[in-house]
């Protein structure tokens, strides 16, 4: 049987390059800034939603609702980012 593709035998391992801990700290900090920004966006969106409802501004109310849903989705994505990457990495390692 002839192999159609060569297996290079590459797999991720820690400690291969210097600066991995610094890169992890940078990514963690970016994630933290993203979460803080989402909290601010959610607060503003909920304020617009409440203001639109109180004043009868249907467009403002709809935009506040959309902003709140988008902020909630962004929070879900930021919180689940590590788990999503781990899931698909494990799924990808099963492909032969």
């Amino acid at each position: 049987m002839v192999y159609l593709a060569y297996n290079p035998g590459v797999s991720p391992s820690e400690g291969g390059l210097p600066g991995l801990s610094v890169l992890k700290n940078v990514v963690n900090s970016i994630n933290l800034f993203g979460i803080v920004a989402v909290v601010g966006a959610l607060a503003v969106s909920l304020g617009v939603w409440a203001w639109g409802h109180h004043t009868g501004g249907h467009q403002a109310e709809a935009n506040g609702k959309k902003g709140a849903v988008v902020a909630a989705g962004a929070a879900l994505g930021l919180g689940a980012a590590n788990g999503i990457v781990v899931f698909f990495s494990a799924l990808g390692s099963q492909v032969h």
Side-chain angles (χ1 to χ4, degrees):
M1 181 126 210
V2 177
Y3 286 112
L4 297 177
Y6 175 72
N7 180 6
V10 176
S11 62
S13 65
E14 283 195 41
L17 293 173
L20 184 61
S21 62
V22 173
L23 182 60
K24 285 181 182 180
N25 287 335
V26 168
V27 171
N28 287 338
S29 297
I30 291 170
N31 196 3
L32 175 64
F33 280 119
I35 289 172
V36 170
V38 165
V39 169
L42 182 61
V44 169
S45 295
L46 292 175
V48 169
W49 185 357
W51 177 74
H53 179 74
H54 179 69
T55 61
H58 300 294
Q59 186 68 31
E61 185 178 1
N63 286 338
K65 288 178 186 179
K66 285 188 281 188
V69 170
V70 168
L76 177 66
L78 287 168
N82 195 36
I84 291 169
V85 170
V86 167
F87 172 76
F88 283 107
S89 177
L91 192 64
S93 68
Q94 295 174 3
V95 175
H96 295 287

